[in-house]
């Protein structure tokens, strides 16, 4: 999940890893109770339907068109109105990381060579207008993704896997269709890969793989009112102000083993100030923050110090890794020992405090790969910083080895958001203790990733040696997290995400090798090795694994954190009728 888009809307991301400490007990009705109860259990279980679920967000979405969105919080909301062949299980804890059939009758049939994935759609599936959902509609939805000149913005993994040299321009420019996807009949869809890709099923759980009826496709305006295949349809969309969903009568509950679909109506108010959202949550006027990016600083203490409020809060790990990229193309970070000096010098406890502490800020990180991703190594801590304490003596030793015994000057790039600036200041203060003088250069968040630090030329020109950023997986595997950050062949002239400009031939080759490994245990071992090599290279400093403190209206039922999304599963929520 990419940082610019996430910051632009609701500020949350993909995979939940480790859990914050729990302070909960079981209620008499079998539900979980207390602070962090939703991390591993279901709070207020209920089958009562009816009522209006009331959500709010400070900012608008990138797009309601599932082909164009790249924000985790929107993925969570998408599942109210679109379905995909597969989808994450609606369950708390580790069970929520598993995929299960959604539109499909069963998990795919996979050929022995790993090149063919076959699905059979359930019977009786319908769009909101009553028309049948066919295999051809799923294929067409995927074909829309290829029209990047018209429908850019969403994740493009399926283009990488399915184009196979066809140079397919999408359905608006070509009537030929995507050759690697076939539909032998209305209920059968077959994907033909050029080489095995073990994570392919995860791509089919993304909104970009949702069915779209061609006759109702309005191209770049489809996001104005997408056609529903899920339990809710749009009653209205007032951009920047309000969105309302109502029941989709064409949806059949018997065909959907995932979504509870309890409320009759769901209202999302957009544009409220974050502090006002907090107050409305406390007052009971709202049920939840749609982005689940955490209550504001002043509200954090209020929640944590008041037992009556704290029992209605969860502090999930979001899947985000807050980190500092050290630009290997900007001196003196072209020298590994200067990079290691920074690794040792940063006071991660100070960073954690600046970001809100253990419950509202994050868990101190030892490696880049976050908890919840196979290959995560809790013991990885090559610079002995997981305790939070800097290693000043070792930092000075590394400065000697890189020929800068008295330190050096550099520039920290950061967004001008309050939390990012506090993080930058904590890093700056840490480095000053060993003679590294870092000037902070803040930028507008809307420009930061694409044109400020996403342009290597601008990074070199401005002398950005340290680039603060955040990253999370698009799906819960190493491949869903790492390649865009560390593959030297993905360093782009603009929109670049490999801020360190890391280009290690051995790591590049390992990335190629692991993508075809279908044995999950073996793949996890390779990702663990890659993670260790990235840390040895020292071009990225992991700071914290993000946590956020979310407060909910006590009336909400069926509340639990989906580890897949790192937030409460909105499709399960009810309001008690």
């Amino acid at each position: 999940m990419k940082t610019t888009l996430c910051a632009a809307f609701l500020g949350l991301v993909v995979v939940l890893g480790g859990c914050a400490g729990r302070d909960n007990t079981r209620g008499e009705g079998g539900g979980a109770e207390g602070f962090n109860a939703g991390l591993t259990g279901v709070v207020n279980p209920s089958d009562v339907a009816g009522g209006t679920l009331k959500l709010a967000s400070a900012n608008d979405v990138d797009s309601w068109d599932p082909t164009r969105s790249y924000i985790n919080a929107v993925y969570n909301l998408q599942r109210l109105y679109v379905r995909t062949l597969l989808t994450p299980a609606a369950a708390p804890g580790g069970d929520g990381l598993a995929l299960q059939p959604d539109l499909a009758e069963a998990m795919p049939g996979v050929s022995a060579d790993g090149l063919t994935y076959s699905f059979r759609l359930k019977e009786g599936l319908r769009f909101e207008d009553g028309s049948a959902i066919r295999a051809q509609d799923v294929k067409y939805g995927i074909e829309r993704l290829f029209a990047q000149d018209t429908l850019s913005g969403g994740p493009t993994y399926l283009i990488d896997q399915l184009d196979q040299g066809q140079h397919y321009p999408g359905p608006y420019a070509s009537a030929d269709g995507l050759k690697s996807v076939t539909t032998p009949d209305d209920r059968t869809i077959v994907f033909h890969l050029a080489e095995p890709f073990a994570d392919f099923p995860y791509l089919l759980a993304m909104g970009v793989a949702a069915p779209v009826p061609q006759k109702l496709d309005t191209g770049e305006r489809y996001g104005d009112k997408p056609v529903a295949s899920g339990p809710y349809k749009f009653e209205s969309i007032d951009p920047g102000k309000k969105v309302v969903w109502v029941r989709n009568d064409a949806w059949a509950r018997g065909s959907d083993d995932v979504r509870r679909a309890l409320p009759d109506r769901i209202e999302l108010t957009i544009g409220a100030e974050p502090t006002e959202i907090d107050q409305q949550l406390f007052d009971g006027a709202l049920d939840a923050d749609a982005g689940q990016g955490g209550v504001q600083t002043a509200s954090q203490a209020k929640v944590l110090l008041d037992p009556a409020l704290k029992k209605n809060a969860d502090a999930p790990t979001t899947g985000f890794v807050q980190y500092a990229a050290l630009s290997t193309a900007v001196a003196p970070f072209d020298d590994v020992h200067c990079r290691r000096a920074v690794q040792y010098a940063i006071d991660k406890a100070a960073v954690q405090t600046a970001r809100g502490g253990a419950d509202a800020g994050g868990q101190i990180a030892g490696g880049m790969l976050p908890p919840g991703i196979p290959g995560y190594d809790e013991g990885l801590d090559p610079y002995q910083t997981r305790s939070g304490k800097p290693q000043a003596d070792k930092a000075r030793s590394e400065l000697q080895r890189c020929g800068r015994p008295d330190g050096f000057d550099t520039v920290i790039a950061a967004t001008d958001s309050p939390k990012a600036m506090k993080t930058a200041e904590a890093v700056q203060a840490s480095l000053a203790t060993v003679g590294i003088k870092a000037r902070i250069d803040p930028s507008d968040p809307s420009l930061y990733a694409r044109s400020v630090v996403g342009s290597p030329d601008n990074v070199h020109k401005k002398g950005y040696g340290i680039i603060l950023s955040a990253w999370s997986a698009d799906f819960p595997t190493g491949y869903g997290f790492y390649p865009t950050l560390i593959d030297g062949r993905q360093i782009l002239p603009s929109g670049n995400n490999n801020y360190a400009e890391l280009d290690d031939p051995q790591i590049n080759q390992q990335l190629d090798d692991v993508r075809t490994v279908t044995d999950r245990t073996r793949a996890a071992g390779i990702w663990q090795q890659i993670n260790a090599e990235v840390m040895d290279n020292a071009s990225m400093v992991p700071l914290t694994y993000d946590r956020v403190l979310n407060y909910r209206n006590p009336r909400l039922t069926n509340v639990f954190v989906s580890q897949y999304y790192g937030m409460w599963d909105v499709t399960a929520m009810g309001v008690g009728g």
Side-chain angles (χ1 to χ4, degrees), residues 142-157:
I142 292 170
E143 288 176 334
R144 295 176 79 245
L145 178 63
F146 287 73
Q148 285 291 297
D149 58 336
T150 304
L151 303 178
S152 63
T156 59
Y157 294 101

Side-chain angles (χ1 to χ4, degrees), residues 139-385:
K139 179 180 179 181
Y140 181 76
I142 292 170
E143 288 176 334
R144 295 176 79 245
L145 178 63
F146 287 73
Q148 285 291 297
D149 58 336
T150 304
L151 303 178
S152 63
T156 59
Y157 294 101
L158 282 171
I159 295 178
D160 299 336
Q161 294 301 314
L162 298 176
D163 189 63
Q164 301 171 11
Q166 182 181 347
H167 303 297
Y168 178 59
Y172 310 133
S174 172
D176 291 342
L178 186 59
K179 295 178 181 178
S180 56
V181 182
T182 57
T183 53
D185 57 60
D186 285 355
R187 290 180 55 206
T188 304
I189 185 166
V190 183
F191 299 89
H192 307 272
L193 306 186
E195 60 181 6
F197 179 47
D199 291 342
F200 186 69
Y202 291 103
L203 309 187
L204 301 178
M206 292 180 161
V208 294
V212 174
Q214 185 172 4
K215 65 180 181 180
L216 298 178
D217 182 15
T218 53
E220 62 183 354
R221 297 194 60 188
Y222 189 71
D224 293 347
K225 195 171 185 182
V227 180
S229 51
Y232 295 94
K233 62 183 179 180
F234 288 96
E235 180 182 78
S236 61
I237 299 176
D238 190 355
K241 295 182 180 179
K242 191 170 186 177
V243 175
V244 177
W245 292 274
V246 294
R247 290 195 180 278
N248 172 17
D249 294 334
W251 171 77
R253 186 175 296 277
S255 75
D256 195 333
D257 298 325
V258 180
R259 298 159 183 83
R260 301 296 293 273
L262 295 177
D264 289 333
R265 182 181 180 90
I266 302 172
E267 297 178 354
L268 169 61
T269 301
I270 300 168
E273 288 293 327
T275 53
E276 177 62 22
I277 291 176
D278 289 356
Q279 190 57 52
Q280 290 186 45
L281 288 170
F282 297 144
D283 292 344
L286 288 176
D287 293 311
D289 178 349
Q292 299 178 45
V295 296
Q296 303 308 296
T297 302
S299 298
Q300 291 170 7
K302 183 175 181 178
V303 170
L304 294 173
L305 295 175
D306 185 340
L309 296 176
K310 188 176 180 180
K311 69 180 182 180
N312 298 311
D314 289 313
T317 303
T318 67
F320 257 139
V321 177
Q322 297 290 334
Y323 73 100
L326 307 181
S327 177
T328 60
V330 173
F333 293 122
D334 52 350
D335 187 309
V336 67
H337 296 292
C338 283
R339 300 198 295 270
R340 288 175 179 164
V342 171
Q343 294 273 2
Y344 282 120
I346 289 180
D347 183 340
K348 293 184 180 178
V351 171
Q352 181 188 53
T353 299
R355 298 194 61 79
D359 281 324
Q363 171 188 346
I364 291 173
M368 283 294 294
L369 198 64
I373 304 294
Y376 166 72
D377 182 357
E378 188 173 0
L380 182 64
D381 188 18
Y383 303 103
Q384 296 89 53
T385 57

Side-chain angles (χ1 to χ4, degrees), residues 462-501:
K462 295 291 186 68
Y464 292 149
I466 302 174
I467 298 170
L468 296 186
S469 189
W471 197 255
S472 73
D474 286 330
F475 42 90
T477 72
Y479 204 90
F481 176 83
Y482 244 148
T484 309
L485 287 184
I486 63 174
D487 191 334
R489 298 157 297 184
Q490 295 193 37
I491 298 173
L492 304 174
S494 64
N496 175 52
N497 288 296
N498 184 343
Y499 299 144
E501 297 185 61

Side-chain angles (χ1 to χ4, degrees), residues 351-548:
V351 171
Q352 181 188 53
T353 299
R355 298 194 61 79
D359 281 324
Q363 171 188 346
I364 291 173
M368 283 294 294
L369 198 64
I373 304 294
Y376 166 72
D377 182 357
E378 188 173 0
L380 182 64
D381 188 18
Y383 303 103
Q384 296 89 53
T385 57
R386 191 181 283 275
S387 67
K389 298 178 181 179
Q391 307 290 314
D393 290 345
K394 292 181 179 180
R396 292 188 183 97
S397 176
E398 291 294 339
L399 288 173
Q400 289 278 356
R401 298 181 70 180
C402 76
R404 307 280 184 135
D406 298 323
F408 52 83
D409 293 347
T410 191
V411 182
I412 299 175
T415 69
D416 60 9
S417 65
K419 187 174 282 190
M421 289 302 294
K422 289 180 180 179
T423 303
E425 289 163 2
V427 170
Q428 180 187 49
S430 301
L431 298 180
T433 64
V434 296
I436 300 174
K437 300 175 183 177
R439 176 176 61 85
I440 301 171
D441 187 9
S443 299
D444 184 327
S446 66
L447 303 174
Y448 187 70
R450 184 168 298 277
S451 59
V452 177
V453 297
S455 166
D457 284 347
N458 190 61
V459 168
H460 307 160
K461 178 182 177 182
K462 295 291 186 68
Y464 292 149
I466 302 174
I467 298 170
L468 296 186
S469 189
W471 197 255
S472 73
D474 286 330
F475 42 90
T477 72
Y479 204 90
F481 176 83
Y482 244 148
T484 309
L485 287 184
I486 63 174
D487 191 334
R489 298 157 297 184
Q490 295 193 37
I491 298 173
L492 304 174
S494 64
N496 175 52
N497 288 296
N498 184 343
Y499 299 144
E501 297 185 61
L502 176 60
D503 189 6
D504 183 308
Q506 179 175 332
I507 290 176
N508 293 346
Q509 184 59 54
Q510 286 175 305
L511 292 174
D512 289 342
D513 293 343
V514 72
R515 69 192 303 278
T516 65
V517 176
T518 56
D519 184 303
R520 295 294 179 184
T521 301
R522 183 179 164 217
I526 297 173
W527 286 115
Q528 184 174 347
Q529 182 180 351
I530 291 172
N531 196 34
E533 291 174 5
V534 169
M535 292 305 299
D536 184 64
N537 179 274
S539 57
M540 283 178 272
V541 185
L543 300 171
T544 60
Y545 304 127
D546 255 1
R547 282 183 180 139
V548 293

Side-chain angles (χ1 to χ4, degrees), residues 101-144:
D102 189 1
L103 292 175
E105 283 186 334
M107 296 301 288
V110 185
S111 61
D113 60 7
L115 297 179
T116 304
Y117 287 74
S118 303
F119 291 88
R120 183 79 172 161
L121 269 63
K122 295 173 181 174
E123 288 189 86
L125 300 171
R126 302 202 173 273
F127 289 111
E128 65 176 87
D129 68 344
S131 62
I133 299 175
R134 307 166 304 144
Q136 293 88 339
D137 299 312
V138 176
K139 179 180 179 181
Y140 181 76
I142 292 170
E143 288 176 334
R144 295 176 79 245

